[in-house]
Amino acid sequence: MARIRQYELLEEFNGDETFVVETDNGTKALSVNAIKDHITEKIEEKAAQLNQSEVTVESDNESEYILSISIGAETITTPNLKGKSIASIQVVNHHLMIYFNDATSYDCGVIDGEVPKYGVCRDIPSHSPTLTRVGDATGLIAQVFKGNNDEKIRNDFDTIYPWSEIKRCTLSNNGAVNHYEDDPDYKEDGTDGQVMVEIPKFYIAHYFDESGAKEYWYISKEKINSRYRLPKPFIAADGTELDHIYIAAFLSTNDNENILDSKSTPTATAADFAYSWAVEYAKTRGTNWHQLDIAEYSDVLVPLFIVEFATLDSQSVFYAADAEYVADYMYVSLEQVMADNPDTSLVTRGNEFFVYGENEYFVGQEISIFGIAAEDVTGDCDVKDETNGPYAIRNITNVQVVGKDEAKGVDLLKITFDGGAVDIHNKEEFMVNIGRNGVTNYIYYEVGYLSGSFAAPKDQGSDFVYRGIENLYGKYTWLAGVLKRRDEYFVTDKLAAYGTAITDDYAKLGYNAAMMGFVRKLGLDEAYPWATLPTENGGASDTDFCDKTMCTGAGAVQSVRFGGGYDFSCGLFAFYCNNNATDTNVNYRYGARLSYRSYQ
């Protein structure tokens, strides 16, 4: 067949031919085979550039013009071209594009194999939380810092998009970036704007195989084929694609009355908010500001996390029990640690103390040292507190075993810390800081790892940072855009509709809510794939999603939170429902986290 200059429609047919075009040899009626020939020509041109020799274009029959196109290991499928009027077929940015005469087009998908896709596969019948790396993620390693800066940490995703482009910045109330974290004018104390984590847009594919035994998640920079879609948070109200969204680096404090924030200061700690407060106080900051929502959780954070770490057991990556502090005693010498009656009048000065090693300590942990003199309040994070007296905030720089209590089998430790020297009072209390905003900055900035954690002594709590987001699931945190009533979930992606009532803006999901127990399955509604929530229990602490859901079938509207808790109820997939979304009782107040996207 002669080479076709343009697919310009001349006359429609109702028979086996689909349309007529002008060719070098005159007017010709094209059947599916002619279309196949032309597409094959276009693909072979691209294949030659890629040194790909295996190219096939298959059609099913003359009544359904659906083509299966393979180049190398990639296979894509066109829509039914029967009766369509094609203007041109081109390869654009690795994608095979079909342009129709009615000004519409169809993206058949990536054909040249140059765009990597990073995936994981879940073997559902095995109930194992460990995922198999597939696609271009095969063989990759993702480790995190866990308190020993002598370890060699390897995380291949640090150089892979989109993970490599996730970074902290400060955002003005109108959504403009003031400074990025590597800018000398960047500040995290709130004076330069809200401290946010910028996440670039990417594409995801989440699907099951035909048997239903395998579940896949993929992430790519491009829309590789029709299975891939842009996560919901990257789509504005008018359909415009957003290049970035922003999630708060820190849980909100209660320093600003009736307005959520994200900042790090020596006294900034995550506060507790009723769900109604979290939603309304986020909106107070301005247009497009909102409480972290179900779409950002399900469609952005979860796929980023599980594809990177290849596990559904989030606590195996970051243990995240909710606690405020862990207290212990410091001593001036090894002899005083071992003494039956330590002399509390003893004082020494320096940057070290001794401790009975019943608890576990790590290099980099932040501690508060009490009993210091006012003139020793010299560090950037030191606190001069008129009520409790001044105290120093320091980071542990060395943990050395210097003895052992043979009777109890417990090590005796010498702890060295950074910063200015202070008075060490024998048997004075010190604390491992948990929950202060910025406590993980030592990991993020000083040690230089984008993800890491400090487990508190005796697993009583933890602080961790995931790609700049501190304590993502380390504290009970509200999710906006989702409400529950009895065994039904209702969701909306309209920021203005976030609230405590199920309005017409909310849609009921096509799966039922799980109640009490370990999560075995998350629901997937094809109409709302950006809202995945527990739909089936029956798992365990070491199977499936490894976390618990704690919900009741109450008829009142319930709000939804995730993370926090203790033991097996504090991971990324731990969900809780409050009996009344508007309840401001102290027992129903939990963490709030700001988000921003240019939705309208």
Side-chain angles (χ1 to χ4, degrees), residues 335-524:
E335 292 73 21
Q336 286 299 307
V337 176
M338 295 291 293
D340 292 333
N341 296 296
D343 184 352
T344 56
S345 67
L346 296 177
V347 181
T348 188
R349 186 170 179 82
N351 287 77
E352 62 185 33
F353 59 82
F354 296 82
V355 64
Y356 194 78
E358 189 174 14
N359 295 330
E360 188 174 3
Y361 297 97
F362 302 95
V363 170
Q365 276 179 324
E366 185 180 277
I367 57 176
S368 291
I369 302 173
F370 296 93
I372 70 170
E375 55 267 25
D376 286 338
V377 180
T378 57
D380 292 338
C381 291
D382 290 353
V383 176
K384 184 176 182 179
D385 188 320
E386 299 297 336
T387 303
N388 300 316
Y391 57 95
I393 294 181
R394 299 288 189 266
N395 288 106
I396 295 175
T397 57
N398 191 45
V399 179
Q400 181 182 357
V401 177
V402 292
K404 193 176 186 71
D405 184 331
E406 297 294 347
K408 295 184 178 180
V410 175
D411 290 333
L412 307 176
L413 309 175
K414 182 171 75 172
I415 304 292
T416 306
F417 55 88
D418 64 5
V422 297
D423 288 340
I424 303 297
H425 294 258
N426 202 39
K427 205 181 176 183
E428 177 66 78
E429 187 178 68
F430 76 98
M431 295 191 309
V432 174
N433 295 339
I434 300 174
R436 184 186 76 81
N437 285 9
V439 73
T440 61
N441 279 0
Y442 177 88
I443 302 170
Y444 193 72
Y445 293 116
E446 299 299 324
V447 182
Y449 291 114
L450 303 178
S451 301
S453 66
F454 294 128
K458 292 184 178 179
D459 286 340
Q460 296 179 51
S462 179
D463 288 298
F464 71 92
V465 58
Y466 172 58
R467 300 221 161 257
I469 303 175
E470 185 173 80
N471 291 331
L472 171 61
Y473 52 85
K475 181 180 177 68
Y476 297 118
T477 304
W478 295 116
L479 284 175
V482 56
L483 294 170
K484 177 183 166 292
R485 186 173 59 205
R486 291 182 291 274
D487 64 346
E488 298 175 334
Y489 293 119
F490 297 83
V491 298
T492 181
D493 67 325
K494 298 179 180 178
L495 305 190
Y498 291 172
T500 59
I502 300 174
T503 66
D504 291 341
D505 290 315
Y506 283 75
K508 185 169 74 72
L509 293 180
Y511 56 85
N512 292 333
M515 298 303 171
M516 310 288 284
F518 283 96
V519 180
R520 173 172 286 177
K521 180 181 179 181
L522 296 182
L524 180 61

Side-chain angles (χ1 to χ4, degrees), residues 22 26 35 51 111 129 132 158 229 315 331 422 444 527 555 559 597:
E22 179 69 27
I35 301 172
N51 295 319
I111 63 167
T132 301
D158 287 349
R229 61 180 179 81
Q315 292 190 70
Y331 298 87
V422 297
Y444 193 72
S559 47
R597 61 178 185 262

Side-chain angles (χ1 to χ4, degrees), residues 36-49:
K36 185 172 74 174
D37 288 344
H38 184 71
I39 291 181
T40 300
E41 181 182 359
K42 301 296 289 188
I43 299 299
E44 287 177 340
E45 290 175 4
K46 189 65 178 178
Q49 299 173 24

Side-chain angles (χ1 to χ4, degrees), residues 476-479 484 515 534 547-552 558-571 573-579 590:
Y476 297 118
T477 304
W478 295 116
L479 284 175
K484 177 183 166 292
M515 298 303 171
D547 285 320
K548 284 183 177 179
T549 180
M550 305 286 285
C551 294
T552 67
Q558 296 179 309
S559 47
V560 179
R561 51 192 166 94
F562 77 103
Y566 300 91
D567 298 328
F568 304 115
S569 303
C570 56
F573 300 103
F575 286 87
Y576 304 78
C577 301
N578 269 34
N579 288 339
Y590 305 104

Side-chain angles (χ1 to χ4, degrees), residues 282-310:
K283 293 178 181 178
T284 301
R285 189 156 290 284
T287 302
N288 293 322
W289 289 93
H290 57 282
Q291 165 65 30
L292 178 73
D293 63 29
I294 182 62
E296 290 159 345
Y297 166 85
S298 296
D299 238 16
V300 177
L301 295 174
V302 166
L304 283 173
F305 188 97
I306 65 174
V307 171
E308 179 172 355
F309 295 117

Side-chain angles (χ1 to χ4, degrees), residues 4 54 75-76 85 140 211 237 239-240 264 271 323 325 338 342 381 386 442 446 505 530 536 582 596:
I4 301 170
E54 297 182 9
T75 300
I76 61 176
S85 303
L140 296 183
S211 70
T240 303
S264 166
Y325 64 89
M338 295 291 293
C381 291
E386 299 297 336
Y442 177 88
E446 299 299 324
D505 290 315
W530 44 268
E536 183 180 313
T582 62
Y596 180 93

Side-chain angles (χ1 to χ4, degrees), residues 45-53 71 94 111-114:
E45 290 175 4
K46 189 65 178 178
Q49 299 173 24
L50 300 171
N51 295 319
Q52 292 278 1
S53 58
I71 174 169
H94 315 296
I111 63 167
D112 63 16
E114 286 187 358

